[in-house]
Amino acid sequence: MKKFDRTRPEFSPYGFTCELWKPARMPRPDRHNEVEINLLTFGSLSYLLGGRRTTVEADRLAVFWAAIPHQIVEFEGDSPYFVVTLPLSDFLSIGLEQNFVSRVMHGELVIDSKSDETDRLKFKQWERELRKSNRDERAARLEVEARMLRFSRVSPKRAATKHSPQLSRADHLACYIAKNYQQPLTSTSIAEANGVHPNYAMNLFRKTFGTTMNHFITEHRISHAQRLLATGEETILDVAFAAGFQSLSRFNEAFKSACGCSPRDYRNAHRIAHSQLSVR
């Protein structure tokens, strides 16, 4: 059974997997460039993602793009839950409903409004098949894609999520960043907007999330840039400014540090998948 490793490098790929995870509070946000599909068999998980605290209940399929900083901040029950990771390029090439893809790519944790009694059996089978050393993943991959197709077609226009109003002070700082990262931000401006002293805000944020506010801002800006690079035709300079960076050189430096490649190489790697999505 897997559990979150805080020493795991950002954007270290999982690839196509289906695994059982132990529920636990995450000491810092995680990021990886796959779409994540969660299925709980008992209890609930509360994520902080995209400036929102969202609760996922048992037997409700939940989907989000994991390149956006996400963190489990609360859970109920200790039963393991299923996690499917699907590479972004594969997700984009399935031919899903545009509204569904847009919601996922813009940082929403999309939750099924009702349970599917066959999901538990499917996830168990995928986990068993993909665990084998001599695994043949073709059947599981096709079935995951089929499940996503059905989900995207019945997914409501509005988010079927539960947002908890009971945010901690640290949560409020993270949410403020998530909602304003495209604007010039400093630790002082963030602290003042939330009515606390900058030193207190910086220390609280690092203690709670295991990272600095500046690093958290950069994470959100990189995620925004990835969305634009994977789905749009804006110039690299326009992407940099739209994501909140103040210079192209800083954008290129931060992007390569986080993703291991230049923005242009990242766009080229996803251009084929995006083209397939556009013509469907």
Side-chain angles (χ1 to χ4, degrees):
M1 188 184 307
K2 301 206 55 174
K3 61 180 181 179
F4 179 66
D5 178 7
R6 67 178 302 163
T7 65
R8 178 182 179 276
E10 286 190 338
F11 287 104
S12 179
Y14 286 101
F16 176 55
T17 68
C18 180
E19 298 173 317
L20 279 169
W21 281 70
K22 180 179 177 61
R25 290 184 180 88
M26 294 166 60
R28 66 164 177 83
D30 191 21
R31 296 181 70 199
H32 52 94
N33 201 28
E34 288 97 1
V35 170
E36 192 166 311
I37 308 164
N38 289 182
L39 181 71
L40 283 67
T41 58
F42 181 79
S44 65
L45 293 177
S46 292
Y47 279 99
L48 187 64
L49 179 144
R52 295 172 179 166
R53 182 170 174 146
T54 306
T55 299
V56 181
E57 305 287 353
D59 292 314
R60 295 289 192 273
L61 202 67
V63 180
F64 62 93
W65 185 27
I68 296 170
H70 58 281
Q71 183 172 13
I72 295 173
V73 293
E74 190 174 1
F75 68 95
E76 179 183 338
D78 58 3
S79 296
Y81 64 101
F82 291 101
V83 175
V84 167
T85 55
L86 185 65
L88 177 63
S89 57
D90 294 349
F91 176 80
L92 292 176
S93 66
I94 295 173
L96 304 172
E97 294 292 323
Q98 287 280 2
N99 176 263
F100 176 78
V101 173
S102 177
R103 290 168 62 191
V104 173
M105 295 297 289
H106 283 83
E108 184 178 337
L109 200 164
V110 185
I111 302 176
D112 205 344
S113 59
K114 59 182 180 180
S115 62
D116 184 328
E117 61 184 13
T118 67
D119 275 342
R120 289 197 186 197
L121 294 176
K122 291 173 184 173
F123 276 77
K124 286 180 181 178
Q125 184 175 22
W126 300 338
E127 191 276 332
R128 184 173 62 250
E129 291 178 345
L130 296 180
R131 188 178 356 116
K132 297 177 181 178
S133 58
N134 61 337
R135 71 183 196 176
D136 182 352
E137 66 182 43
R138 288 175 296 174
R141 186 182 291 272
L142 288 171
E143 288 169 358
V144 169
E145 292 180 358
R147 182 64 180 93
M148 288 293 94
L149 276 170
R150 295 189 183 98
F151 185 21
S152 76
R153 289 171 180 169
V154 302
S155 179
K157 298 294 183 183
R158 289 185 179 180
T161 57
K162 288 176 61 177
H163 301 297
S164 170
Q166 299 179 345
L167 297 181
S168 69
R169 180 157 284 176
D171 288 342
H172 277 294
L173 292 171
C175 289
Y176 182 85
I177 291 171
K179 293 174 182 176
N180 296 279
Y181 63 85
Q182 291 171 269
Q183 307 302 319
L185 290 178
T186 65
S187 56
T188 300
S189 67
I190 295 167
E192 289 178 350
N194 286 273
V196 295
H197 191 278
N199 289 340
Y200 173 79
M202 288 187 289
N203 291 333
L204 176 65
F205 198 91
R206 181 185 284 277
K207 181 179 179 180
T208 304
F209 298 114
T211 189
T212 66
M213 288 195 289
N214 284 337
H215 187 68
F216 197 68
I217 294 167
T218 301
E219 286 182 331
H220 278 286
R221 289 173 176 170
I222 293 294
S223 296
H224 189 106
Q226 285 179 305
R227 292 198 294 273
L228 296 180
L229 292 168
T231 61
E233 298 297 333
E234 296 92 340
T235 67
I236 301 297
L237 180 61
D238 286 344
V239 168
F241 289 146
F245 290 93
Q246 302 303 303
S247 73
L248 182 59
S249 60
R250 172 55 185 151
F251 172 55
N252 286 329
E253 177 187 2
F255 195 94
K256 188 168 185 178
S257 176
C259 306
C261 65
S262 69
R264 192 173 306 280
D265 288 343
Y266 182 91
R267 165 170 278 169
N268 290 337
H270 293 85
R271 188 175 298 277
I272 294 176
H274 176 56
S275 298
Q276 291 174 342
L277 175 65
S278 300
V279 300
R280 289 177 187 264

